[in-house]
């Protein structure tokens, strides 16, 4: 669609000090952004990404893997979701129901997901030890504990970097967190801002994604092309990755602006919207599907706030109903579109909840024996991995920590979890030192 | 849990002095969380339904009262409603089942496995012990023949979903002492009053108590609260409604305990009473035999028993009771009561 | 096993890389010493440095580093007229004499000390007061660790400790990293496999200095009169940590041994202090471990940690890369690129009573600082650790914000170098400092491997703020002034000088003329778009 015009003369003139492309049309300016500088920068960016061999990277990306992380913020109860203990002192009032996979029972609060267990692997044996919100959330987002002086990237940034396309016209990490309690943006850590999430909180329209009325579309594109052309010499002479990153950030602007519609569920047929239901979480799950369908590698949808210190059972009746309905709709929709085999849907929070039930009929923070789930891409569905004791106090089989879960997620996506980033002289593997994928849940 | 079973004194003693104190006289530990209770015969014998799915009997007149499990049978979930009909007990649970028991030996006399599709939240029984009413989270109000176990009526009318699209809950039920009126209260703060005599069930009043329901759209995106207790005055004129006021942090039961009293037939709210000292849910309400005062009990982590003068809505006395109170049983002479709740029961003197 | 990210810290700071006698005389000129040691290595490795940056580039770089903003058009015009032999010195003297210098040094210290932590205005006020009143770095250090909220102008300094007081690990690690250049966190869980047992003792030894620190309910910082740090070593034995500095030197424990009932009474008072808003007293024990830490860190041989850290961090800020990199990894597994230089600068700083101004002036006056950052050939760039060329550095959020405001509304007439102090400018600059606060959060703080985010590109491309504030065409604004110029060449010249601090090159003029003469576009729109393209270009985004 871009015209190859006389504009190229301007780009070259930086070196030759020749002049004058007088009469260059407005279209001419437009042409430059794709034809000239852009191509150079893609090459430069792959130098930044040179840690992985180009062949391997493209092989991975051909598989088109995606992730939707349903972040159960505040900490959902494993008893009321994936690891029910009915009839025990700690089990609470709810029953366990059979699923469509024989031998696996989950809480009666998740009847829809019970009918879709063939897609899902449950991990019932997380022991992540940390039970305060902030530290635990950081641990479960980044898969390891913080080391002073090192800012670790979270799982979204790692996946964005490993699976994102440099030339992508859509964002490669989108994070939705509308509630204010426990709101966390996510972090790309040492991977840098290129992999930072596009963060949506107050509004489902990303900030600054729509063109101001005070400038026409053609002028908007033309001035970007002018900027690009005039920057060329400085970029070439700087030989700096940071400088290159500024250029590539601007090159992504128009692609992202074109993706604004992805965030608008009005573009979905009424029957599809109806299936996801009227809740905010349902709408955001639908946005997540639109995004992965368009090629966004990582979408995080936070559903807050599960921190049921009082009225745990009432809270879970509400929130599990939301989770069950929306995630069921999401899995069905992904499957019908042929996306589920390439899309990994995760439920995870910062921790689970105590076996003991307090006097306010609440459950408190608990990280020693809790659950999460993986569905879809790379996962062996219909598996319940790991085991807690009869009252859910401790893990008795298959204990896994945050690093192991990360290794598992990466493995499900076909990413080598032992691959190392070099941070200066420090080698840092994608998932924490000594972590291992849980093979039993991998397809 | 409201279990309106003590037959009220037929002749209110108008001259009886108002109580001036609430004193916890004794505390008994329970092997679980008690959600409901009913007085036996003699009334010092208390039956309680627990989180261990069973019924326990406590003889509060004994020197060292010990809870004793009643019979072999049990629910498949928490026992959340319990009433007495003569020498029988009837219980309901989160399993949706109703069980008839022999109060003396605990024999299971009848079991209706699927009385409701969801969790039974409370039971009430007519003064003549012929009709049983159950409410549950399927948002149905059902009437049962106590003698035969036959279902006589099944009413909907409470909204199944909250305005935000989440499952609602039907927590509270009460019958007037003459058996003429039935009140049911749900999570969002709506009370329906029906004409119950003859089980026609036509709705004669709708009362709204929206403060009882806290929806937090912004910080936490879910809700807390609901109507947790109901009681008619003995003259049938007033209806007391218990729950919790607006809560800032809905992770905890840290809102003010809240009580509203209506002249329900006129649709006039007589009192709104909030207590920010003793916080949490008002789980149980009883009018005194002369209707001049009432008892409100409940709690957050800890429990409370408060007594209010009805005419002015004034607090007369109150006390902490240790842990959260889920239900009470008032002695026929209204000088003492037993609370049951989180891992414990207490005897309270007024 | 986590040790691959944890490198040993130990004793090179004391090892004889270069004994004091071998160093250049301590009263030598700082810039000359820098060039001596940097050039020595360039010669040894036969690396040809880039030529000196031109006058305009040097002015812009120095203005950003000393004044925290780009030069104004008045400064540009003034500097162009300076004779080459005096230029560098005149520019540095001018910039360091401005109110800007104090603001920028304050902002730099603020970013170092309290980067992402909860902030209060008081901390920034304190730093500005400290910088303006010529407080030395060791005095600032004392203020940071010892200030109490109720006292004098130093009270704002307490936020350094207060913002970390609820997390003992943070307090210990951040003090070690930010003030001593040593990251000891790795020694918490295990000893380094290659170094002696003392490592774990070390971590907890440092922690012991802070373990008694707490904030009362009214947020007053104080210390308990007793309490110890216990830890289980890798052998599983429980040990009590001595008050031990990073060098291994321990401080005598002068804790008063209270009788049981006295201790009980004190504990009760302390509990009340922590919980009760109405507690009408504060206890300050005679023996203050934090004060002991300050004393030990500044004495004998121990001061070198403290001195080298600030030298290295100042060097990193001005040169783009520390002599030790990363700056929190000063240990024998990570030697400095120029050990003698670091040693000399640290000794010089101490000899000059920790005066940061002298250090900063020396660095920006050096040839090493003044080189061109451009590579005109296709050759591979020289290793950055040789400082053979100036490194291109992203502007900090504050540098960028303040520079954008200078572009948008900087008047042409000041600051005037010949009119000091320039009261008009000082007032204007104070406003800029305040206004910049509103823009700062739009930009990311530079870190290792810094990349510009697409959020920033979207912000510049589409936000109302850029369109309305930066590109408006009212009288004194950038676009307004350009609109008043009829001669397109002069317009381009003004735009380039104002935004980039230099004259446009021929091809840029050609492009600009072509742009302005395009058909079917309002002139004001054409100028606005052109200004946008220059302002958002990489040359304006980086210090080069």
């Amino acid at each position: 669609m871009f015209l190859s015009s006389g504009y190229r003369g301007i780009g070259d003139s930086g070196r030759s000090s020749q002049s004058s492309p007088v009469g260059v049309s407005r279209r001419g300016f437009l042409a430059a952004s794709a034809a000239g500088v852009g191509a150079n920068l893609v090459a430069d960016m792959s130098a930044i990404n040179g840690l992985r061999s180009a062949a391997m990277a493209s092989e991975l990306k051909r598989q088109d893997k995606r992730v939707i992380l349903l972040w159960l913020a505040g900490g959902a109860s494993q008893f009321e979701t994936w690891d029910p203990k009915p009839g025990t002192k700690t089990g609470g009032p709810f029953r366990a129901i059979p699923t469509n996979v024989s031998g696996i029972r989950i809480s009666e609060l998740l009847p829809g997901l019970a009918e879709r267990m063939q897609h899902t692997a449950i991990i019932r044996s997380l022991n992540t030890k940390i039970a305060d919100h902030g530290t635990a959330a950081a641990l479960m987002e980044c898969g390891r504990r913080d080391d002073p002086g090192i800012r670790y990237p979270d799982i979204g940034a790692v996946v964005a970097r490993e699976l994102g396309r440099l030339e992508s016209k859509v964002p490669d990490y989108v994070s939705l967190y509308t509630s204010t309690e426990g709101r966390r943006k996510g972090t790309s850590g040492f991977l840098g801002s290129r992999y930072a999430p596009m963060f949506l909180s107050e509004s489902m329209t990303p900030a600054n994604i729509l063109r101001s009325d005070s400038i026409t579309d053609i002028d908007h594109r033309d001035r970007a092309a002018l900027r690009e052309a005039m920057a060329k010499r400085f970029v070439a002479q700087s030989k700096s990755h940071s400088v290159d990153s500024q250029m590539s950030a601007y090159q992504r602007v128009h692609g992202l602006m074109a993706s604004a519609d992805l965030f608008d569920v009005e573009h979905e047929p009424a029957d599809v919207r109806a299936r996801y239901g009227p809740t905010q979480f349902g709408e955001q799950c639908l946005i997540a599907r639109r995004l992965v369908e368009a090629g966004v590698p990582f979408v995080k949808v936070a559903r807050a706030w599960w921190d049921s210190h009082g009225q745990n059972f009432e809270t879970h009746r509400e929130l599990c109903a939301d989770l069950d309905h929306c995630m069921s709709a999401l899995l069905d929709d992904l499957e019908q579109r042929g996306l589920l085999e390439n899309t990994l849907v995760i439920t995870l929070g910062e921790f689970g909840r105590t076996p003991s039930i307090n006097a306010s009929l609440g459950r408190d923070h608990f990280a020693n024996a809790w659950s999460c789930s993986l569905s879809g891409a790379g996962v062996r569905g219909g598996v319940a991995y790991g085991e807690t004791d009869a009252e859910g106090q401790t893990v008795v089989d298959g204990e896994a920590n945050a690093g192991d879960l990360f290794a598992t997620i990466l493995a499900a996506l076909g990413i080598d979890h032992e691959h190392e980033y070099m941070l200066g002289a420090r080698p840092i593997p994608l998932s924490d030192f000594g972590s291992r994928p849980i093979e039993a849940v991998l397809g | 849990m409201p279990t309106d079973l003590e037959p009220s004194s037929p002749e209110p003693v108008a001259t009886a002095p108002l109580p001036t104190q609430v004193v916890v006289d004794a505390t008994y530990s329970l092997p679980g969380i008690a959600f409901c209770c009913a007085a036996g015969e003699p009334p010092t014998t208390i039956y309680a339904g627990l989180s261990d799915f069973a019924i326990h009997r406590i003889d509060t007149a004994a020197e060292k009262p010990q809870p004793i499990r009643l019979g072999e049978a049990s629910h498949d979930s928490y026992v959340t409603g319990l009433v007495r009909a003569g020498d029988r007990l009837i219980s309901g649970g989160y399993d949706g089942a109703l069980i008839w028991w022999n109060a003396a030996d605990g024999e299971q006399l009848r079991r209706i496995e699927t009385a409701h599709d969801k969790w039974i939240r409370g039971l009430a029984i007519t003064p003549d012990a012929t009709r049983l009413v159950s409410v549950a989270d399927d948002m149905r109000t059902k009437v049962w023949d106590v003698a035969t176990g036959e279902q006589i009526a099944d009413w909907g009318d409470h909204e199944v979903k909250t305005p935000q699209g989440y499952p609602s809950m039907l927590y509270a039920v009460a019958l007037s002492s003459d058996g003429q009126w039935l009140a049911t209260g749900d999570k969002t703060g709506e009370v329906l009053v029906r004409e119950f005599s003859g089980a026609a069930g036509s709705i004669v009043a709708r009362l709204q108590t929206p403060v009882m329901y806290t929806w937090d759209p912004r910080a936490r995106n879910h809700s807390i609260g609901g109507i947790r207790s109901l009681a008619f005055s003995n003259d049938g004129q007033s209806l007391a409604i218990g729950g919790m006021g607006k809560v800032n942090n809905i992770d905890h039961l840290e809102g003010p305990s809240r009580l509203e009293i209506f002249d329900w037939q006129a649709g006039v709210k007589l009192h709104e009473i909030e207590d920010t000292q003793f916080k949490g849910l008002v789980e149980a309400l009883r009018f005194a035999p002369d209707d001049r005062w009432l008892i409100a009990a409940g709690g957050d982590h800890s429990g409370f028993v408060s007594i209010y003068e009805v005419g002015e809505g004034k607090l007369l006395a109150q006390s902490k009771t240790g842990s959260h109170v889920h239900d009470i049983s008032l002695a026929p002479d209204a000088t003492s009561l037993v609370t049951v709740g989180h891992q414990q029961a207490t005897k309270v003197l007024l | 096993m986590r040790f691959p990210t944890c490198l040993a810290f130990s004793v090179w700071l004391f090892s004889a890389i270069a004994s004091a006698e071998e160093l250049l005389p301590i009263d030598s000129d700082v810039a000359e010493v820098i060039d001596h040691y940097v050039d020595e290595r360039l010669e040894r490795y036969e690396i040809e440095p880039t030529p000196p940056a031109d006058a305009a580039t040097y002015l812009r770089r120095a203005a950003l580093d000393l004044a925290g903003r780009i030069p104004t058009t008045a400064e540009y015009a003034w500097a162009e007229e300076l004779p080459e032999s005096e230029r560098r010195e005149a520019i540095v003297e001018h910039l360091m004499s401005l109110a800007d210098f104090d603001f920028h040094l304050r902002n730099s210290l603020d970013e170092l000390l309290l980067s992402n932590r909860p902030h209060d205005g008081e901390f920034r006020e304190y730093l500005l007061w400290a910088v303006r009143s010529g407080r030395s770095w060791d005095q600032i250090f004392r203020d940071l660790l010892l200030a109490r909220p109720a006292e004098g102008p130093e009270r704002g300094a307490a936020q350094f400790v207060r913002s970390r007081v609820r997390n003992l690990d943070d307090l210990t690690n951040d003090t070690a990293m930010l003030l001593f250049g040593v990251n000891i966190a790795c020694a918490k869980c295990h000893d380094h496999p290659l170094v002696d047992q003392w490592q774990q003792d070390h971590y907890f030894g440092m922690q012991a200095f802070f373990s008694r620190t707490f904030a009362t309910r009214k947020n007053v910082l104080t210390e308990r009169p007793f309490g110890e740090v216990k830890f289980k070593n890798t052998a599983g034995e429980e040990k009590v940590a001595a008050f031990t500095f990073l060098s291994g030197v321990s401080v005598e424990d002068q804790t008063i041994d209270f009788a049981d009932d006295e201790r009980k009474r004190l504990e009760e008072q302390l509990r009340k202090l922590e919980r009760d808003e109405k507690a009408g007293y504060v206890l300050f024990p005679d023996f203050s471990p934090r004060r002991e830490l300050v004393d030990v860190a500044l004495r004998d041989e121990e001061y070198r940690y403290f001195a080298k850290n600030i030298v290295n961090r100042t060097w990193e800020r001005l040169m783009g890369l520390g002599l030790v990199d990363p700056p929190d990894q000063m240990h024998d597994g990570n030697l400095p690129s120029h050990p003698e230089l670091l040693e000399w600068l640290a000794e010089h700083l101490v000899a000059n009573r920790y005066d940061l101004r002298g250090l900063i002036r020396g660095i920006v006056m050096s040839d090493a600082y003044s080189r061109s950052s451009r590579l005109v050939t296709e050759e591979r760039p020289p290793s950055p650790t040789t400082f053979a060329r100036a490194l291109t550095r992203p502007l900090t959020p504050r540098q960028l914000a303040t520079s954008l405001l200078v572009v948008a509304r900087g008047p042409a007439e000041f600051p005037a170098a010949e009119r000091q102090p320039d009261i008009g400018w000082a007032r204007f600059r104070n406003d800029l400092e305040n206004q910049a606060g509103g823009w700062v959060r739009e930009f990311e703080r530079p870190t290792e491997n810094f990349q510009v985010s697409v959020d920033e590109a979207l912000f510049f491309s589409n936000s109302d703020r850029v369109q309305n504030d930066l590109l408006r065409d009212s009288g004194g604004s950038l676009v307004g002034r350009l609109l008043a110029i009829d001669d397109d060449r002069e317009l381009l010249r003004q735009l380039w000088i104002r935004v980039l601090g230099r004259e446009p090159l021929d091809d840029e003029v050609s492009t600009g003329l072509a742009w302005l003469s395009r058909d079917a576009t309002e002139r004001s729109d054409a100028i606005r778009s052109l200004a946008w393209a220059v302002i958002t270009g990489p040359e304006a985004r980086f210090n080069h």
Side-chain angles (χ1 to χ4, degrees), chain B residues 298-312:
Chain B
D300 46 14
H301 252 50
S302 61
F304 63 81
V305 171
S306 300
I307 46 178
Y308 293 94
E309 192 272 331
V310 173
E312 300 288 320

Side-chain angles (χ1 to χ4, degrees), chain A residues 86-95 108-109 133 177-183 202 278-281 302-311 313-315 317-319 321-322 325 357-364, chain B residues 33 35 51 53 76-78 94-96 113 117-119 121 137 162 164-169 171 187 213 215 217-225 228 249-253 281 283 300-302 323-324 326 342-343:
Chain A
T88 68
K89 203 173 88 198
T90 58
F94 301 126
R95 280 185 279 215
E108 66 175 314
L109 298 183
H133 288 293
Y177 199 133
T178 306
S179 301
T180 55
E181 189 65 20
R183 187 189 284 175
E202 300 299 320
T279 65
Q280 183 184 71
F281 183 56
R303 175 61 173 98
W305 179 245
W306 296 71
D307 196 19
S308 50
H309 293 287
Q311 303 284 288
F313 307 112
E314 320 300 303
T315 302
R317 272 213 68 201
E318 272 190 342
L319 297 184
D322 207 16
H325 181 89
I357 296 159
N358 68 33
S360 298
L361 294 182
R363 296 190 191 266
D364 301 311
Chain B
I33 309 160
F35 294 95
S51 62
F53 304 1
D76 288 331
S77 186
Y78 291 0
Y94 273 12
D95 54 1
E113 199 58 57
D117 287 338
K118 284 209 159 59
W119 304 274
R121 295 287 190 166
D137 281 357
T162 63
Q164 292 78 26
Y166 296 93
S168 188
M169 299 162 200
Y171 285 117
K187 173 157 188 162
Y213 171 65
W215 166 256
R218 182 160 169 74
R220 294 175 174 83
N221 199 15
H222 66 96
S223 71
I224 200 165
R228 302 304 181 101
N249 176 354
I250 62 171
D251 294 343
H252 304 266
L253 289 177
L281 297 161
E283 299 268 23
D300 46 14
H301 252 50
S302 61
S323 67
H324 189 110
H326 286 285
H342 194 78
Q343 313 278 1

Side-chain angles (χ1 to χ4, degrees), chain C residues 511-525:
Chain C
T511 305
L513 292 174
W515 181 267
L516 292 172
S517 64
R518 288 182 318 156
D519 50 341
T521 305
E522 289 274 341
R523 184 167 172 83
S524 63
D525 288 341

Side-chain angles (χ1 to χ4, degrees), chain C residues 431-480:
Chain C
D431 291 346
L432 278 192
E433 185 71 10
N434 294 334
Q435 289 161 9
W439 286 77
V440 162
R441 70 182 69 93
E442 303 288 353
F443 311 118
E444 301 250 352
R445 193 185 295 274
T447 51
E448 214 169 347
N449 301 334
F450 177 75
Q451 294 153 23
V452 172
S453 70
V454 75
D455 285 353
E456 182 181 313
L458 285 167
F459 170 75
F460 275 111
S461 298
N462 295 326
S463 76
D464 291 341
R465 189 165 209 175
V466 167
Q467 200 69 18
N468 299 340
D469 213 359
L470 213 50
L471 299 176
R472 65 166 178 222
D473 52 15
S474 60
S477 70
L478 171 71
V479 176

Side-chain angles (χ1 to χ4, degrees), chain A residues 315-329:
Chain A
T315 302
H316 279 76
R317 272 213 68 201
E318 272 190 342
L319 297 184
C320 287
D322 207 16
L323 173 66
D324 186 57
H325 181 89
C326 301
M327 183 169 159
S328 296

